[in-house]
């Protein structure tokens, strides 16, 4: 009997090309299943879908994202799993699970953030009120974790491996606003804890005046060396969803302010 693929909750927008079905890639030694495609790229673009219901009612909807390559092809998509009351009552402080799947609907990564009632307090960002996200591959193996480490004038995030050792630091900017007169990307440089050098960049891109003013649907570009270890690429890629949730989930960009 033929297996019928069920429609996914978020497909590519009309007119947007689908990238290669990653399931066709041969397994690679040391590469978690499903992440073979990431070994071949140095950029990914993450574009959040505008939710019409949220726009009309003001009620927070589940976030959904396209993940594109540099040719504009969809290579992954991500969608949020949360309780309605958490989205409405807790806003960017909610707990969640993000599923990241390839074009065959196979889960290749999963991001989990447990709910904490005090999450996001700037004065104890390095303690009980940090924003931890635990990152797993499609088989459920822990790849690492990301959390806020400080939040004074600007946020600072740490990326940790599966043993808890910090690998990278992501520095935020004191000014995180974009406006018609200020359309430049907002860059979050990723620096190595080993030598302090910048190894990657997460950049929030200008989405246009109307989109920036009335929605919280944002676009990001993630850049890293093509020869970077695939797990480290995956961790930096996953960190974008935490940056978006904390800093830009509200229209005013005040997720944790």
């Amino acid at each position: 009997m033929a297996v019928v693929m069920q429609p996914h909750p978020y497909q590519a927008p009309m007119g947007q090309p689908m990238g290669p079905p990653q399931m066709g890639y041969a397994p690679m030694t040391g590469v978690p299943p499903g992440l073979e495609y990431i070994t071949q790229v140095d950029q990914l673009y993450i574009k959040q879908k505008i939710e019409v219901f949220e726009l009309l009612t003001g009620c927070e909807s589940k976030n959904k994202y396209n993940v594109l390559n540099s040719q504009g092809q969809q290579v992954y998509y991500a969608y949020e799993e949360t309780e309605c009351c958490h989205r409405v009552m807790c806003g960017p402080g909610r707990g969640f699970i993000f599923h990241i799947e390839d074009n065959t609907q196979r889960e290749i990564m999963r991001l989990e953030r447990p709910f904490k009632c005090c999450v996001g307090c700037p004065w104890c960002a390095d303690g009980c009120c940090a924003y931890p996200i635990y990152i797993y591959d499609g088989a459920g193996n822990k790849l690492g974790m990301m959390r806020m480490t400080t939040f004074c004038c600007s946020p600072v995030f740490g990326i940790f491996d599966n043993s808890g050792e910090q690998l990278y630091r992501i520095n935020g900017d004191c000014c995180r606003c974009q406006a018609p007169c200020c359309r430049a990307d907002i860059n979050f440089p990723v620096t190595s804890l080993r030598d302090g050098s910048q190894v990657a960049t997460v950049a929030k891109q200008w989405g246009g005046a109307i989109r920036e003013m009335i929605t919280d649907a944002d676009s990001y570009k993630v850049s890293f060396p093509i020869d970077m270890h695939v797990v480290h690429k995956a961790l930096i890629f996953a960190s974008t969803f935490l940056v978006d949730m904390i800093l830009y989930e509200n229209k005013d960009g005040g997720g944790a302010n």
Side-chain angles (χ1 to χ4, degrees):
M1 180 181 296
V3 177
V4 178
M5 189 78 75
Q6 295 299 318
H8 194 272
Y10 184 39
Q11 298 291 355
M14 185 177 299
Q16 180 171 292
M18 298 285 281
Q22 286 80 12
M23 192 171 285
Y25 284 88
M28 301 172 64
T29 302
V31 177
L35 297 182
E36 294 86 0
Y37 181 76
I38 294 183
T39 65
Q40 306 180 32
V41 298
D42 60 358
Q43 293 179 349
L44 289 171
Y45 294 81
I46 303 167
K47 297 184 180 294
Q48 185 175 353
K49 179 184 177 183
I50 295 176
E51 297 292 338
V52 177
F53 176 78
E54 179 178 330
L55 197 61
L56 295 176
T57 65
C59 295
E60 184 66 32
S61 300
K62 297 178 182 179
N63 291 339
K64 304 179 183 72
Y65 304 81
N66 268 118
V67 182
L68 315 176
N69 60 19
S70 58
Q71 286 75 48
Q73 299 172 319
Q74 177 179 293
V75 293
Y76 299 116
Y77 42 82
Y79 59 98
E80 176 186 359
E81 178 186 336
T82 50
E83 297 292 336
C84 179
C85 62
H86 276 202
R87 294 196 305 275
V88 174
M89 302 300 295
C90 304
R94 61 187 180 266
F96 58 74
I97 297 175
F98 271 103
H99 302 278
I100 302 175
E101 300 183 354
D102 67 14
N103 290 335
T104 66
Q105 301 184 14
R106 175 180 59 159
E107 184 174 80
I108 56 99
M109 290 178 66
R110 187 176 74 255
L111 319 180
E112 297 184 3
R113 186 173 82 180
F115 171 71
K116 294 183 179 181
C117 63
C118 65
V119 74
C121 176
W123 299 277
C124 51
D126 193 26
C128 64
C129 294
Y131 273 94
I133 282 186
Y134 300 95
I135 304 161
Y136 302 89
D137 66 16
N141 301 307
K142 185 178 178 182
L143 299 178
M145 183 265 285
M146 181 190 177
R147 65 175 174 84
M148 188 187 297
T149 56
T150 61
F151 197 136
C152 185
C153 294
S154 61
V156 178
F157 305 93
I159 297 178
F160 302 78
D161 65 16
N162 59 3
S163 66
E165 179 181 356
Q166 186 171 353
L167 302 172
Y168 302 108
R169 169 188 173 117
I170 301 180
N171 296 296
D173 198 317
C174 291
C175 179
R176 300 185 301 279
C177 298
Q178 289 176 313
C181 59
C182 183
R183 304 181 183 183
D185 290 354
I186 301 174
N187 292 317
F188 296 84
V190 183
T191 57
S192 170
L193 262 287
R194 179 178 300 176
D195 57 13
S197 62
Q198 182 174 341
V199 298
T201 302
V202 174
K204 181 184 180 297
Q205 299 182 301
W206 169 251
I210 295 177
R211 187 183 182 107
E212 294 290 343
M213 289 176 60
I214 67 174
T215 80
D216 59 7
D218 299 307
S219 298
Y220 297 87
K221 176 183 177 181
V222 184
S223 305
F224 32 54
I226 197 166
D227 59 350
M228 175 180 274
H229 193 286
V230 64
V231 172
H232 292 203
K233 284 185 177 183
L235 293 173
I236 293 171
F237 163 53
S239 71
T240 309
F241 297 94
L242 181 60
V243 170
D244 181 56
M245 182 65 75
I246 294 177
L247 302 181
Y248 297 106
E249 179 63 5
N250 292 339
K251 287 194 293 293
D252 59 1
N257 294 340

